Every structure is written in C-alpha cells, then in structure tokens.
Amino acid sequence: MAVAEAPESVAAPQRVDLVVAKVGKPPAVVKHGSSFGLGAVVSNRGRDAAQPSVLRLYLSKDRTRGAGDILGASVAVKRVPARKTKTVSQRVKVPWGARGTYWVIACADATKKVRETKESNNCKSSSSQLKVDSDLHAQLSGRLQFVDEGQVVDAGKTETWHRTAQADVTIAVDGDPEGTTTFAGSGSSWVRDGSRTVRDVSESCIRTRNYQENGSGKLRYVGDGADDEIFGNFTRTDMSGVRIGLIMRADWSETRDQVGQGEFPCDPSTATSQGTTIDVSSIELKEVGLTTNTITYEVVGWEGAYGTTSPWDSVDGQLVLRLR
C-alpha cells in the first residue's frame, strides 16, 4: 500500500515591523524661518533585521499624518536588528509660511522601502506642541535694473532713445505678514541715465532735438506715504509675493536746433530747456527660492503710476528677504 509523503513544513517569512517608539519634546516657541533640533527612537518589533530606511519629521496641525502636513526634516536610519532600536536626531526646518501651533509627527520608513508586517503603525506624534512666532524682523535687499530703448523711423523722421536706471534696495521689514507689516526703505538708492535724439528732415529744414537725463541719490523714506520714495508690501500672507514701489527722479536738458536747406530754407534757430522728470514704478516680485532663513524673489511684472503702462521695456532683478 503506497503511503503519501507528508509535505515539507514551510517556515513563515521573517518580517520586520518598524515603529517610532519615542519622539523628542519640541521647543515651546520657535521663529518661522528657523530650525530646531529633535530626536526620535526607531524600534524594530519584527523577527528580522530592517534594512536602512528614512525617517521623516513633519509639522502637523493635528496628531495624525495627513496631506497638509509640512515636511521639516528627513534623516537616514541605519540597519535596525530584530527587537532593537536606533536613536536618530535632525534639525527640523520651520518654513516662513508656518503659522500657529503644530505637533511634530515622526514617521519611520517614510519612503516605503522596507517590507513590513504592518505599515499603518509607522508614525508617532510628539507629546507636546510648539508655537510658531510669525512676527517678522527681516531685511529685503537686492538690485533692480530698468531698460527702455528703441528707434522709430517714419517719413524722414528718426527718433532713437536709450534710458536705463538701477535701484539698490535695502528695506527693513517688521511686523506680522497676516496683519500689519512695515517696509522701511532707509538706505536704498537709485541711478538714472538716458538720452533721446530726434532728427526730422524736410525739403526746407533739418530739425534735431537732443535730450539728456541723469539723476542719482538716496530713495527718501520717512514713514509717510505722501513723502516716501520707496514703499512695499507683501501680496500674499505666506510671503511668496511682494510689491515694491519706487520714485526715481532725474534732471533733464534738451537742445532743439533748426537748420535751413533747399530752395526755401527755414530760419536757423537754437533753443534749450531743462527740468526734472519723475518716474513712478510699481514692481511685482514672486518667490523663486526658499531656505530656512531666506526667500528669494524675482521680478514678474511692473507698471507705472496708478496702474498705467510703464515706460520701461524691461525690469529685471532679484530681492532676497533675510531674517535679522
């Protein structure tokens, strides 16, 4: 009588189970745009060693990991033997846009690289909250460059112009971006230079106009909108947009010459005039870079006074907001 062979026993796979056993206590108050150190303990409750993984630390409005949480740090976790722990620490970044109070949530194997017996127990919240002090004490600085140039030729008349300006911006920014913020522009300066030539030729006359402008100096700031030559504000409460206003003056002079030609020449003449021109520019900048304590903005648009079309063909430059 044939006897069936008993099947070989198959051992259950030795799997790992990573959890966060402990999260350090965050400071009670931190400044936005700063960072703080925090430790965490990763435990392997499984029967097999856990290969290297990544732990992430999040700022969360509640104690559950969710889509709206802010990633503050990532830290590499070395191999964790079965039934053992690893202690790690990292600096947690608090972004500029952070507001209010947060829990710190630590999540083991945040990149899901380790195969575990249970994936839903990887995160743990801190036992206390931290408050983000959003009051701002920073400096906005950088250089803005303006260009206006061109040529028009029409029926014997040629007009050519080239104007440039440069503004070196230094603004102390203080207050709460969600409330009242002061942009104090003391220390900012400007330089303007330009020329325009018009040559109009007819059968009896050659008329030319030569225009020159130049100016430089400090952009006046006294804290009064009626007298200030530099002003600014955030266009978004998360500080990702900013608008700067500048009033740049220049003295100008113009010489007008008339020379007769042809069978019936016009009378020759020369006249000069001079005065002061005022350029008002409103420049919009958008965030293009962000670090723990800086925001970099780049020009994305500009206009003239009261929303009119700007005379400048291009406005370029970057401003950087740094914590003081």
Side-chain angles (χ1 to χ4, degrees):
M1 180 177 180
V3 179
E5 295 183 1
E8 295 182 4
S9 60
V10 179
Q14 300 274 311
R15 302 282 287 278
V16 304
D17 184 20
L18 291 175
V19 299
V20 176
K22 184 178 180 180
V23 181
K25 184 177 180 179
V29 180
V30 295
K31 289 286 295 182
H32 66 160
S34 66
S35 65
F36 62 92
L38 194 74
V41 177
V42 178
S43 175
N44 179 10
R45 295 177 177 174
R47 296 174 294 175
D48 196 8
Q51 296 305 307
S53 59
V54 173
L55 177 134
R56 286 181 174 169
L57 296 164
Y58 298 89
L59 302 180
S60 177
K61 288 295 187 179
D62 55 33
R63 306 187 76 168
T64 304
R65 171 77 181 96
D69 296 344
I70 300 170
L71 175 61
S74 295
V75 55
V77 179
K78 294 181 179 180
R79 182 178 181 271
V80 185
R83 312 299 184 182
K84 299 294 183 180
T85 63
K86 288 286 184 182
T87 300
V88 296
S89 62
Q90 186 61 281
R91 294 203 66 81
V92 181
K93 296 179 180 179
V94 183
W96 288 78
R99 297 286 188 277
T101 56
Y102 294 87
W103 302 94
V104 179
I105 297 178
C107 292
D109 188 28
T111 57
K112 305 296 183 185
K113 298 295 185 182
V114 178
R115 188 180 180 188
E116 301 182 60
T117 57
K118 191 174 182 180
E119 298 285 357
S120 60
N121 62 346
N122 286 19
C123 297
K124 184 179 180 65
S125 168
S126 58
S127 60
S128 61
Q129 291 178 287
L130 63 89
K131 181 179 179 180
V132 177
D133 178 3
S134 59
D135 195 27
L136 184 65
H137 301 288
Q139 179 174 286
L140 183 66
S141 60
R143 175 170 291 177
L144 302 174
Q145 295 180 311
F146 305 72
V147 175
D148 172 33
E149 59 185 355
Q151 184 179 72
V152 175
V153 179
D154 183 26
K157 182 179 180 179
T158 302
E159 182 175 3
T160 305
W161 66 94
H162 180 79
R163 299 170 58 242
T164 62
Q166 177 178 294
D168 288 314
V169 174
T170 303
I171 300 175
V173 183
D174 295 276
D176 186 345
E178 291 188 332
T180 301
T181 310
T182 301
F183 279 62
S186 302
S188 300
S189 61
W190 92 98
V191 177
R192 274 182 63 184
D193 184 71
S195 64
R196 184 174 68 248
T197 300
V198 180
R199 180 179 172 86
D200 190 358
V201 179
S202 66
E203 291 183 356
S204 61
C205 210
I206 300 175
R207 297 181 176 88
T208 59
R209 295 172 59 188
N210 291 301
Y211 169 94
Q212 298 285 331
E213 67 175 39
N214 61 79
S216 63
K218 297 292 185 181
L219 289 164
R220 184 175 64 246
Y221 178 82
V222 295
D224 184 344
D227 294 323
D228 293 338
E229 296 175 335
I230 182 168
F231 36 91
N233 64 275
F234 289 114
T235 58
R236 296 178 62 90
T237 57
D238 65 359
M239 298 183 295
S240 61
V242 67
R243 184 175 290 274
I244 301 298
L246 303 173
I247 299 176
M248 297 181 290
R249 304 173 185 272
D251 295 327
W252 62 267
S253 63
E254 185 177 68
T255 301
R256 298 183 298 277
D257 289 315
Q258 181 172 289
V259 178
Q261 68 173 3
E263 186 176 357
F264 303 101
C266 63
D267 295 331
S269 65
T270 298
T272 60
S273 57
Q274 58 186 18
T276 300
T277 178
I278 300 175
D279 176 81
V280 180
S281 294
S282 178
I283 302 131
E284 183 178 358
L285 300 100
K286 182 179 179 181
E287 176 190 309
V288 294
L290 178 68
T291 68
T292 301
N293 57 3
T294 67
I295 302 178
T296 301
Y297 303 94
E298 192 170 88
V299 176
V300 293
W302 62 95
E303 59 188 20
Y306 306 107
T308 58
T309 300
S310 172
W312 298 105
D313 292 335
S314 66
V315 180
D316 298 300
Q318 290 188 339
L319 299 181
V320 178
L321 186 69
R322 291 183 175 87
L323 286 177
R324 287 188 281 126

